[in-house]
Amino acid sequence: MPQCLIDDRKVEFTPGENLIEVAKKVGVEIPFFCYHPALTVVAQCRMCAVEVGMPGKDGTVQMMGKLQTACSTPPAEGMVVKTKTEKVLKNQKSVMEFLLINHPLDCPICDKSGECDLQDNSFRHGDSYMRYTEERRTYLDLDMGPVIKKNMNRCIHCTRCIRFGTEVAGIREMVAVQRGNNTEITTIDGRPLETDYAGNYADICPTGSLTLKNFRFRKRAWFLKKTPSVCEGCSRGCNIELHQDGNVVHRTLPRTNMEINKYWLCDEGRFNSDYVNDADRVVTPSLPGASGLAAVGWEQALGAARASLEGKALSVLVGSDLTQEEASNLKTFLGKQFPKASVFHYGTKGIKTAADDAAADKILKRKSRTSNLHGLEKLGYQGFTGLPAGTEAVLLFRGGRAELPDLSQARHVVGVGVFMKQDAAAFHAVLPGPSWAEKDGTIVNFEGREQKIRRSILPVGQSKNLSEILMLWANQGGKTGVA
Amino acid sequence: MHPALEAETLYIQHFRRRDEARPLDYYLKQMDGYTALAKALKMAPDQIIDEVKKSNLRGRGGAGFPTGMKWGFIPKQSPKPKYVVCNADESEPGTFKDRDIMRYTPHLLLEGMAIAGHAIGAKVGYIYIRGEYTREAKLLDQAIDEAYAKGYLGQKILGTDFSFDITVHRGAGAYICGEETALLNSLEGKRGEPRVKPPFPAQAGAFAGPTVVNNVETLADVPFIINKGGEWFSRLGKVERSGGTRLISVSGHVKKPGVYELPAGAVTIRELVYDICGGILGDKKLKAVIPGGSSAPVLTADEIDVVYDIEPLMKIGTMMGSAALMVVSEDYCMVKLIKRITKFYAHESCGQCTPCREGCKWMEDVLHRIEDGHGREQDLALLLDIADNINGKTLCALGDAAAGPVSSFVRKFKADFEAHIRGKKCPNA
């Protein structure tokens, strides 16, 4: 393997590797703004400029007179790179000053604060003193649709968003208009964003210019507790990070996994967690009351649920948003408690079995809008095609995302899991279970890849884990003393 | 009369005939029109490139890169089509020589492009012309029509297998599109922004094909080189490694401004200003000259005994650029001048890279403040530092073009700046 020398450290590289990445391998961090490993290199921010030299014919290294941008300099055999010389440090300081002269420095009210590249690099490489006394450049703001809030004054013109649109999302909607000092990054004709991947614009923005409307002014980044997990939005299983504070999931961010989702996440997956803390979610055991569902104790709800299914021809519907652990537990439970019942899995209208699942777009999305369709099939569950004739009651399990099938012909429905009040209005009993953010478990994606989801928050309200609910049910309450 | 004016010239005698020189008839009869193309088509491409190398022709657009070497960089085999692109964006302030070539001897350019096409193996040429040159674009189109009608362009030129098409593409008035990669982007219909180099245009230029980008005058020199030989052309120049004649655009406070043609390196700036251009307007004293278009660092009146050519000027820290000499007389405010120049660069910065986008406007603002009498003592050190932070740190040469003048003005005319700052107004006002 060819070698180069970065800050006196020998490092091997494969040709084609980016110098910034090569430097990381020996712990040398070269600061940058416009570079992104998934996007074309434009060498615009000039922050990553370093001194570069090549050995001449006689072997002595001649350093180039000008600084070279590390992002656009391919490493070569014998190349010598210096990232801490006086010249390099002065350039970093100067680029920081240039970027900040027109930046509003409104970090105290900026959502990006605490996870902002501009802030971090300013702290590390900038100067606390500023020489600029002229008027700052300002722009009018633009509404970019429901996902992204733009604040052009904070923009440092790195053009990552433009490149993300054309190169990843496959849509040319972000552009630069005007030129020079007046350059504005905007959408074509000021139209709202159209891509289903708009949230990524906020992720790749190195400053607070593009932020998520949904997360605006909600939480300071440093108060959020982060849990690595996997998205339950479709059968791809994109890697994510759930950010919670006070047992509320505030946002979902993509977590890099080059084999599944790379750096990206679709908007559906990103905003999927909103239902977890929704005010309409049924989080107490409930039975029909005088005006809709009424909260009762676990013992009463369990008793009523059991009684309403007693001796009836039963169909069991299992959401393909349950984990492998839950689904296999359930199998044992059903075999013992309801050996005659017909059992099906359900999840997405029009997707009956794993064979119906396919790519829904060219980027990430899959047609199955639940996470564990492929896992449930592996466990031997059958796809739901309609209630068998003569069904008198339905026992419904749901993780939170599976699309409810039409149950209008079933007279008795008992729901276990996550339901909204309006969905469960006609149920005979609701036993609240955990959403995917409230439990650990395994899901299997469309490629058969098993991934762990992790609990980010405790079960909301009086919800209990499915294993606990099943145990209570099987033990008839009281018998084991657990109720 | 200065002896340099008696030397052999290639263009100026035809420029003097003005519109009369333009038609194809005149070109064929008076200028041996298209004989060089006929000769070149009988030569091997490498022979042509060798001849151009021998001629010591250096790019006339500003960088002064040896043309033969540039052509030699084009790969012989290429899966993508190759292109000849003529940079007719002539937007460096003070430069107006290419305009005369396109106005009065457009066929020289067309013939030069066809020869270049044969030399590098291109079938298509583009003339990227400055947006403001509406009349010249029309005249070029007329000349192209004439050449097509007589079979000097198009399919099977002069009965050979060589085909070459030329299209005129008008710019939209951006200075940055004179930078070759921004020009190529603009030509492709993209935003006129310089590209990251490498790859250089010789590897991946227009439409990702190998491309040679040459200035108008450079290409117009080529037919002379082919007809009379590279060595003859090289001998026209009076200094080493610089062949041919130079078209020089002289402007500012001289008695006789205009386009001059002189052998490369034949005169000093002093001779050019006083003996050839008749001295300073109103017989005032000389204050400064900007030797190579507004992006060249300024020279004081004491520095003008320097031979006016690429390398002598480079040695004293400035540049010949596009050979546009701007002359400033004693009573002109240097602060006002540099503010105007900087305003131009701030306005023309494409906005891609940080130092140029932010720094040029900052320098303009500071200079504006000084000129208005609101300057501070520390502003001069600040200007020098901003210029230093831009110089050599940008994606393309526009940053250097903006920084060089500012630092040279502040260093060489410090007293003028201090007079503004201490007197709180322009002393000339």
Side-chain angles (χ1 to χ4, degrees):
Chain A
M1 254 173 138
Q3 276 192 339
C4 62
L5 199 65
I6 302 178
D7 284 352
D8 297 327
R9 279 170 249 195
K10 267 192 194 156
V11 52
E12 289 187 337
F13 61 90
T14 36
E17 235 179 321
N18 193 288
L19 190 54
I20 291 179
E21 307 292 343
V22 175
K24 270 185 202 161
K25 294 201 271 191
V26 281
V28 175
E29 198 170 318
I30 301 172
F32 58 84
F33 292 104
C34 69
Y35 166 74
H36 188 287
L39 305 175
T40 51
V41 166
V42 288
Q44 287 178 355
C45 72
R46 317 306 286 176
M47 188 68 184
C48 68
V50 291
E51 283 199 67
V52 174
M54 284 300 290
K57 278 179 190 138
D58 57 348
T60 55
V61 173
Q62 194 68 39
M63 299 305 280
M64 291 185 207
K66 279 187 184 179
L67 294 175
Q68 305 292 315
T69 43
C71 66
S72 66
T73 306
E77 173 66 41
M79 182 187 266
V80 172
V81 180
K82 293 183 179 166
T83 75
K84 301 279 186 307
T85 64
E86 202 180 321
K87 221 165 145 186
V88 172
L89 298 180
K90 178 165 194 278
N91 179 64
Q92 289 171 352
K93 202 165 252 198
S94 119
V95 170
M96 280 319 308
E97 183 179 40
F98 282 139
L99 288 177
L100 291 178
I101 60 176
N102 283 305
H103 187 81
L105 294 172
D106 57 348
C107 307
I109 56 147
C110 177
D111 286 299
K112 198 79 175 185
S113 188
E115 50 184 18
C116 170
D117 291 353
L118 189 66
Q119 202 178 37
D120 293 349
N121 280 331
S122 170
F123 181 71
R124 257 179 252 150
H125 309 285
D127 200 327
S128 49
Y129 174 76
M130 183 184 271
R131 299 178 291 180
Y132 192 70
T133 56
E134 324 304 322
E135 199 175 322
R136 282 200 162 102
R137 173 183 64 210
T138 50
Y139 298 90
L140 287 176
D141 270 350
L142 164 81
D143 187 37
M144 300 207 347
V147 181
I148 296 289
K149 169 75 190 171
K150 181 177 122 172
N151 183 328
M152 187 60 210
N153 292 341
R154 294 175 185 157
C155 179
I156 58 167
H157 302 85
C158 73
T159 71
R160 274 185 185 183
C161 53
I162 299 177
R163 285 173 283 145
F164 170 79
T166 49
E167 295 167 20
V168 180
I171 179 169
R172 186 169 167 77
E173 50 184 354
M174 297 290 298
V175 288
V177 298
Q178 303 290 335
R179 74 172 179 210
N181 203 254
N182 299 317
T183 306
E184 181 173 358
I185 311 294
T186 180
T187 55
I188 294 176
D189 297 340
R191 287 187 292 224
L193 294 171
E194 284 171 31
T195 174
D196 293 337
Y197 291 80
N200 296 294
Y201 285 124
D203 294 343
I204 56 167
C205 182
T207 173
S209 187
L210 302 174
T211 50
L212 293 174
K213 274 192 176 166
N214 168 291
F215 184 66
R216 255 190 130 213
F217 305 134
R218 252 174 96 162
K219 274 285 159 191
R220 307 298 350 214
W222 51 87
F223 289 136
L224 294 168
K225 272 75 86 182
K226 298 164 188 177
T227 313
S229 190
V230 178
C231 180
E232 61 155 1
C234 75
S235 62
R236 180 171 293 275
C238 295
N239 288 202
I240 55 165
E241 208 170 61
L242 288 170
H243 291 189
Q244 65 92 9
D245 187 46
N247 218 42
V248 174
V249 177
H250 285 288
R251 67 174 173 183
T252 308
L253 290 186
R255 189 159 54 88
T256 307
N257 185 329
M258 295 312 285
E259 291 176 13
I260 299 175
N261 56 312
K262 300 205 172 73
Y263 309 89
W264 321 119
L265 187 62
C266 71
D267 289 346
E268 194 175 336
R270 185 182 300 265
F271 302 122
N272 171 52
S273 61
D274 288 356
Y275 78 87
V276 173
N277 299 97
D278 197 305
D280 277 344
R281 177 175 162 193
V282 182
V283 290
T284 47
S286 302
L287 294 175
S291 54
L293 288 172
V296 294
W298 268 103
E299 202 172 336
Q300 194 186 341
L302 273 164
R306 264 195 305 266
S308 70
L309 303 182
E310 200 86 47
K312 293 201 173 74
L314 182 68
S315 287
V316 181
L317 297 187
V318 180
S320 51
D321 48 358
L322 296 186
T323 63
Q324 288 297 82
E325 290 82 352
E326 287 174 328
S328 75
N329 260 350
L330 194 54
K331 239 183 149 186
T332 321
F333 169 82
L334 293 172
K336 286 185 178 158
Q337 298 286 325
F338 303 106
K340 287 183 198 155
S342 326
V343 182
F344 307 98
H345 70 71
Y346 72 99
T348 314
K349 288 208 173 94
I351 306 286
K352 293 186 182 97
T353 67
D356 298 332
D357 187 25
D361 67 11
K362 287 178 183 165
I363 310 168
L364 297 174
K365 289 187 179 185
R366 304 283 304 176
K367 281 189 179 157
S368 167
R369 296 173 72 247
T370 52
S371 56
N372 202 22
L373 168 69
H374 298 261
L376 258 61
E377 296 236 316
K378 246 171 110 178
L379 290 174
Y381 282 92
Q382 300 293 313
F384 178 66
T385 47
L387 290 175
T391 299
E392 291 169 302
V394 173
L395 178 54
L396 189 64
F397 292 91
R398 182 171 185 261
R401 213 182 131 74
E403 230 173 321
L404 288 172
D406 180 18
L407 298 174
S408 49
Q409 37 170 316
R411 286 180 51 220
H412 280 10
V413 180
V414 171
V416 183
V418 180
F419 299 94
M420 294 296 142
K421 279 179 187 150
Q422 55 275 24
D423 296 334
F427 288 7
H428 272 68
V430 179
L431 306 176
S435 73
W436 110 114
E438 297 149 56
K439 63 193 176 194
D440 286 337
T442 310
I443 54 174
V444 180
N445 87 345
F446 74 102
E447 305 158 299
R449 191 187 295 268
E450 293 184 3
Q451 301 191 94
K452 294 277 178 206
I453 58 169
R454 298 256 173 244
R455 187 167 82 180
S456 164
I457 56 172
L458 295 169
V460 177
Q462 296 180 41
S463 320
K464 285 183 191 294
N465 273 327
L466 189 63
S467 54
E468 201 178 338
I469 299 173
L470 298 182
M471 189 179 72
L472 289 171
W473 185 305
N475 291 330
Q476 300 282 319
K479 274 191 186 170
T480 58
V482 186
Chain B
M1 189 151 92
H2 192 279
L5 286 174
E6 288 162 12
E8 183 168 2
T9 57
L10 309 176
Y11 297 91
I12 211 85
Q13 65 271 34
H14 305 294
F15 288 174
R16 290 205 182 99
R17 310 289 284 265
R18 302 180 75 87
D19 295 346
E20 200 187 301
R22 191 183 316 123
L24 182 58
D25 263 359
Y26 178 94
Y27 185 60
L28 294 174
K29 284 178 192 145
Q30 306 292 323
M31 301 177 72
D32 302 327
Y34 292 102
T35 53
L37 178 59
K39 190 175 169 190
L41 289 178
K42 289 186 192 117
M43 293 162 72
D46 281 345
Q47 266 180 298
I48 301 175
I49 295 177
D50 279 346
E51 210 58 45
V52 176
K53 278 183 183 160
K54 263 187 245 166
S55 74
N56 276 331
L57 170 61
R58 298 179 64 161
R60 304 304 200 215
F65 195 83
T67 307
M69 207 194 282
K70 200 183 228 181
W71 292 9
F73 290 152
I74 302 285
K76 297 272 173 284
Q77 301 297 326
S78 160
K80 293 224 170 211
K82 304 179 208 175
Y83 298 95
V84 175
V85 175
C86 170
N87 185 346
D89 196 58
E90 191 163 59
S91 40
E92 181 69 24
T95 317
F96 39 84
K97 62 182 178 69
D98 293 342
R99 186 174 60 178
D100 281 358
I101 295 177
M102 293 185 280
R103 269 185 188 169
Y104 305 129
T105 58
H107 285 286
L108 265 180
L109 171 60
L110 304 184
E111 189 176 359
M113 286 181 73
I115 295 170
H118 177 52
I120 66 159
K123 290 188 169 56
V124 179
Y126 291 102
I127 301 175
Y128 185 95
I129 188 166
R130 171 181 179 151
E132 289 86 341
Y133 282 180
T134 48
R135 185 168 164 247
E136 286 71 18
K138 274 184 205 144
L139 296 177
L140 276 175
D141 273 334
Q142 285 168 16
I144 290 170
D145 289 346
E146 281 182 314
Y148 269 101
K150 294 276 176 182
Y152 297 122
L153 288 176
Q155 301 296 310
K156 302 211 179 284
I157 293 170
L158 300 172
T160 64
D161 279 343
F162 178 64
S163 302
F164 196 73
D165 292 305
I166 296 182
T167 307
V168 175
H169 183 105
R170 284 186 58 207
Y175 171 78
I176 192 62
C177 290
E179 199 278 344
E180 58 181 7
T181 56
L183 182 153
L184 294 173
N185 271 349
S186 173
L187 184 69
E188 292 177 12
K190 298 176 184 153
R191 207 174 139 83
E193 285 176 340
R195 298 176 182 171
V196 185
K197 283 157 276 185
F200 291 94
Q203 298 140 16
F207 311 102
T211 304
V212 61
V213 185
N214 282 135
N215 171 258
V216 174
E217 189 188 347
T218 315
L219 287 164
D221 278 342
V222 171
F224 297 112
I225 294 170
I226 298 302
N227 260 341
K228 298 188 178 174
E231 274 169 32
W232 167 84
F233 188 86
S234 175
R235 278 199 306 273
L236 287 179
K238 301 301 172 211
V239 283
E240 253 184 87
R241 284 194 287 158
S242 195
T245 63
R246 297 287 313 228
L247 288 172
I248 301 166
S249 320
V250 184
S251 59
H253 307 137
V254 285
K255 286 182 181 162
K256 293 191 284 177
V259 176
Y260 290 84
E261 184 180 10
L262 297 170
V267 292
T268 63
I269 294 181
R270 183 179 300 282
E271 288 170 312
L272 186 55
V273 171
Y274 288 97
D275 302 343
I276 292 173
C277 298
I280 311 297
L281 267 183
D283 290 318
K284 287 177 187 159
K285 272 196 209 153
L286 176 69
K287 176 122 190 185
V289 293
I290 302 176
S294 65
S295 59
V298 67
L299 295 176
T300 65
D302 301 331
E303 292 174 302
I304 60 170
D305 289 305
V306 58
V307 172
Y308 191 56
D309 202 58
I310 299 170
E311 278 171 26
L313 286 171
M314 205 144 54
K315 266 184 206 142
I316 61 162
T318 180
M319 62 181 187
M320 188 176 194
S322 52
L325 188 81
M326 293 194 263
V327 181
V328 188
S329 78
E330 56 180 338
D331 54 359
Y332 198 80
C333 174
M334 294 305 277
V335 177
K336 184 176 173 185
L337 179 56
I338 187 60
K339 192 213 93 185
R340 186 63 192 85
I341 290 175
T342 308
K343 183 175 177 176
F344 173 81
Y345 289 109
H347 181 66
E348 295 295 344
S349 164
C350 82
Q352 263 196 110
C353 72
T354 309
C356 178
R357 178 185 65 240
E358 306 292 341
C360 293
K361 180 66 166 48
W362 190 2
M363 292 197 299
E364 183 202 333
D365 288 349
V366 174
L367 288 165
H368 191 99
R369 210 154 36 75
I370 296 174
E371 197 204 355
D372 279 359
H374 302 298
R376 297 184 277 260
E377 289 285 337
Q378 65 268 36
D379 280 343
L380 298 185
L382 175 65
L383 279 173
L384 287 175
D385 198 51
I386 302 174
D388 182 52
N389 286 342
I390 299 172
N391 200 3
K393 320 283 197 303
T394 51
L395 189 65
C396 77
L398 197 143
D400 306 357
V406 170
S407 48
S408 66
F409 269 73
V410 173
R411 281 202 185 93
K412 293 180 180 176
F413 297 96
K414 202 168 183 186
D416 293 49
F417 287 87
E418 285 169 348
H420 281 75
I421 292 170
R422 290 178 192 153
K424 300 203 184 301
K425 65 179 172 57
C426 178
N428 304 31

